[in-house]
C-alpha cells in the first residue's frame, strides 16, 4: 500500500509532511513549492535538495544514471527549507517509476499552490 507523503488539512489551513522533513506547516507560511530530484546518495544526509539531479543533463554510466528521489522542496517565508519525498524508493531518470512520481508531484504541487494562493488572499 502506498503512503501519502503529505496530508492537507483545509480546516486548520496547514499541511503535514509524513515522508521527508516531518513537520506541520501553515499554508500562509509557504513561500514557494518546487519539484526537484534529490541525489539518492545524499538524501537525509545534507540539507534537502542541496544535491540535485537535473533532468535531461544527467551523466549516465554503463550501469545507468544516478539514483534519485523525486520530491517537493517547500521554501518557507522565513527562508527555511522542508522536503516532502514523492518517491518511496530510489528511482532513475526517465524510468516508469520516475514518470509516475513526477506526475504525482505535479498534481500535489498544484493542490498546494492553490491553497497557498487562497491563504494569502
Amino acid at each position: 500500500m502506498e503512503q501519502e507523503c503529505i496530508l492537507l488539512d483545509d480546516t486548520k489551513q496547514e499541511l503535514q509532511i509524513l515522508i521527508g522533513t516531518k513537520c506541520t506547516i501553515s499554508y500562509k507560511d509557504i513561500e514557494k513549492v518546487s519539484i526537484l530530484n534529490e541525489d539518492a546518495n545524499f538524501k537525509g544526509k545534507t540539507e534537502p535538495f542541496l544535491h540535485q539531479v537535473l533532468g535531461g543533463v544527467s551523466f549516465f554510466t554503463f550501469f545507468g544514471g544516478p539514483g534519485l528521489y523525486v520530491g517537493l522542496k517547500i521554501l518557507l517565508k522565513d527562508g527555511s527549507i522542508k522536503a516532502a519525498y514523492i518517491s518511496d524508493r530510489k528511482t532513475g531518470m526517465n524510468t516508469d517509476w520516475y514518470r509516475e512520481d513526477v506526475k504525482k508531484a505535479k498534481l500535489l504541487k498544484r493542490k498546494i499552490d492553490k491553497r497557498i494562493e487562497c491563504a494569502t488572499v
Side-chain angles (χ1 to χ4, degrees), residues 17-96:
I17 299 174
L18 303 174
I19 302 173
T21 313
K22 294 181 181 180
C23 62
T24 300
I25 305 167
S26 171
Y27 295 158
K28 67 179 174 33
D29 292 337
I30 302 171
E31 180 70 31
K32 181 180 175 183
V33 178
S34 305
I35 299 170
L36 297 174
N37 304 317
E38 183 160 52
D39 187 318
N41 293 323
F42 296 95
K43 180 181 177 246
K45 297 176 185 166
T46 63
E47 181 180 325
F49 302 106
L50 187 60
H51 299 277
Q52 297 173 36
V53 177
L54 304 177
V57 294
S58 297
F59 143 154
F60 290 87
T61 67
F62 175 72
F63 301 105
L68 59 91
Y69 288 87
V70 177
L72 296 177
K73 176 181 176 181
I74 302 172
L75 175 63
L76 302 183
K77 290 179 179 172
D78 68 4
S80 62
I81 295 170
K82 306 298 181 188
Y85 293 102
I86 306 299
S87 299
D88 58 359
R89 74 277 191 220
K90 183 167 68 169
T91 188
M93 192 67 66
N94 296 320
T95 63
D96 288 343

Side-chain angles (χ1 to χ4, degrees), residues 7-16 24-30 112 114-121:
L7 293 178
L8 301 172
D9 185 340
D10 292 338
T11 304
K12 293 182 180 179
Q13 296 286 298
E14 62 188 22
L15 62 81
Q16 182 180 8
T24 300
I25 305 167
S26 171
Y27 295 158
K28 67 179 174 33
D29 292 337
I30 302 171
I112 295 169
K114 191 168 148 183
R115 285 160 172 84
I116 293 168
E117 187 177 321
C118 292
T120 58
V121 174

